[in-house]
Amino acid sequence: MSVTEAGATIWLTGLPSAGKTTIAYELAGRLRAAGHRVEVLDGDEIREFLSAGLGFSREDRHTNVQRIGFVAELLAANGVKALVPVIAPYADSREAVRKRHQSEGTAYLEVHVATPVEVCSVRDVKGLYAKQAAGEISGLTGVDDPYEAPESPDLRIESHTQTVQESAAALLALLAERGLA
């Protein structure tokens, strides 16, 4: 790894249980093995430590995404591959993060982990879909709260039709194609 290695933010957006975090950690391992500096900014950890106190209103979700985008850009500007598996349900919030990166001259890739809600609800990694169905929670992204899918992401991953390894390989290929891996 050289001192001048280019950093980048790789934002993985998608529904809850789409596979964003699993793919991010698989990619992180591959990048680290190749000598890259990598950080995974997991949405759940960010909510606990950086965005504690924020709820799930549109305004709070926007604030959360902007905070994560700020940290990701700082890392990426300093040669780190910042992998960001965060739902980020609103297109305007994601676009604001992209624009911040562009204004700073920092590489930013948006990856849509396009797993259908029917598949996500079966995976239900955190039990959110079951809680929503039982009436215990509301505001679940993609069910009773909106999710605005990216219209033209840098990469769309259909995680329900390929393995985690295949998804990470597709992302790694994109990074290589853009001169970032």
Side-chain angles (χ1 to χ4, degrees), residues 119-140:
V119 175
C120 294
S121 66
V122 170
R123 290 180 180 171
D124 204 10
V125 177
K126 299 171 197 155
L128 297 175
Y129 293 93
K131 287 179 182 174
Q132 191 277 337
E136 295 172 26
I137 62 168
S138 63
L140 182 59

Side-chain angles (χ1 to χ4, degrees), residues 46-172:
I46 295 292
R47 278 258 176 209
E48 182 178 351
F49 297 106
L50 185 64
S51 294
L54 289 180
F56 291 90
S57 68
R58 184 179 179 106
E59 182 180 326
D60 282 359
R61 288 176 191 252
H62 179 77
T63 299
N64 185 48
V65 167
Q66 297 316 297
R67 287 178 184 177
I68 298 167
F70 176 79
V71 172
E73 196 283 323
L74 283 176
L75 288 167
N78 285 284
V80 175
K81 301 295 187 295
L83 308 182
V84 186
V86 173
I87 295 168
Y90 301 112
D92 60 342
S93 296
R94 295 189 307 265
E95 185 58 25
V97 171
R98 179 187 295 277
K99 285 182 177 171
R100 174 178 178 72
H101 280 71
Q102 287 172 338
S103 72
E104 298 294 329
T106 306
Y108 176 87
L109 300 175
E110 183 178 71
V111 178
H112 181 206
V113 182
T115 310
V117 69
E118 298 79 16
V119 175
C120 294
S121 66
V122 170
R123 290 180 180 171
D124 204 10
V125 177
K126 299 171 197 155
L128 297 175
Y129 293 93
K131 287 179 182 174
Q132 191 277 337
E136 295 172 26
I137 62 168
S138 63
L140 182 59
T141 301
V143 178
D144 60 354
D145 211 53
Y147 176 74
E148 299 169 356
E151 290 182 16
S152 54
D154 295 284
L155 179 66
R156 189 175 318 276
I157 292 175
E158 308 275 344
S159 76
H160 57 293
T161 66
Q162 61 189 36
T163 66
V164 171
Q165 293 74 20
E166 289 167 336
S167 296
L171 247 170
L172 195 56

